[in-house]
Amino acid sequence: MKTKVTAAVIALMLAPTAIWAMCSAEEHAASCKDGYVWDGAKSECVAKPTT
């Protein structure tokens, strides 16, 4: 029982960190100006490639 409670507490403590990490890239992508896209490898907005 004690192990289950401990595991639940740890999972609840880590949940906000995981959610923040998933939303982070989306927030950056939304902040790029028109004609630019988010490059996760460079962690910055780069000019959108043209085809």
Side-chain angles (χ1 to χ4, degrees), residues 4-6 9 12 14 16-17 21 25-27 29 33-34 36 39-41 43 46 51:
K4 290 181 183 179
V5 172
T6 302
V9 169
L12 290 172
L14 295 176
T17 303
E26 292 172 9
E27 289 174 8
K33 61 184 177 179
D34 289 340
Y36 287 78
D39 184 343
S43 297
V46 296
T51 54

Side-chain angles (χ1 to χ4, degrees), residues 8-45:
V9 169
I10 291 171
L12 290 172
M13 289 172 50
L14 295 176
T17 303
I19 292 169
W20 175 80
M22 288 186 291
C23 294
S24 182
E26 292 172 9
E27 289 174 8
H28 288 298
S31 65
C32 292
K33 61 184 177 179
D34 289 340
Y36 287 78
V37 294
W38 181 254
D39 184 343
K42 293 182 180 180
S43 297
E44 62 183 20
C45 293

